[in-house]
Amino acid sequence: MNRSFNKSQTLRYLECSAVEVKSKFGAEFRRFSLDRYKPGKFEDFYKLILHIHHIANLEVMIGYADVHGDLLPINNDDNFFKAVSSAHPLLRVFIQRQGGPTVLKLERKACQMIHWC
């Protein structure tokens, strides 16, 4: 997992295999990058998410908005790789406390929130 890009660099204009990730937990957003072709394991991604959002003591569910605005889960290596490899140009990640709002509510929110600034 590569987090060595400066904030002033935009990955959209770099010719590299990096995927920009924008994660949201509550009202807080974080940005980092992953290698599109070697994103690593889901478990490492899960630990990174907990670390960068300072929520190491919480159990969370992670999902992403696909190109159609549907919220899909990221909970194993296969769908983690699918999320990273299909991200164009940005992978939008939603983090939800387990026991939080239902998935149906999250799907409606994903459609509205797909247009993050």
Side-chain angles (χ1 to χ4, degrees), residues 14-15 29 33 42 46 57 64 97 104:
L14 294 176
E15 295 210 20
F29 294 89
S33 62
F42 166 72
Y46 186 86
N57 58 339
Y64 73 102
R97 247 182 237 247
L104 182 59

Side-chain angles (χ1 to χ4, degrees), residues 19 36 64 73-74 78-88 91:
V19 172
R36 178 182 308 277
Y64 73 102
I74 300 176
D78 291 336
N79 55 27
F80 171 56
F81 183 77
K82 175 69 174 171
V84 172
S85 62
S86 65
H88 292 290
L91 175 59

Side-chain angles (χ1 to χ4, degrees), residues 2-3 8 13 16 20-21 27 33 35 38 41 45 50-51 54 57 63 72 75-76 93 99-100 104-105 108:
N2 186 354
R3 296 188 294 157
S8 63
Y13 300 109
C16 64
E20 190 173 359
V21 180
S33 62
D35 187 311
K38 296 180 185 177
K41 300 282 187 186
F45 176 71
L50 296 179
H51 175 76
H54 307 289
N57 58 339
L72 301 174
N75 55 13
N76 61 43
V93 174
L104 182 59
K105 288 182 186 176
R108 276 188 254 133

Side-chain angles (χ1 to χ4, degrees), residues 46-58:
Y46 186 86
K47 289 175 185 175
L48 176 63
I49 290 289
L50 296 179
H51 175 76
I52 65 171
H53 282 278
H54 307 289
I55 54 174
N57 58 339
L58 293 180

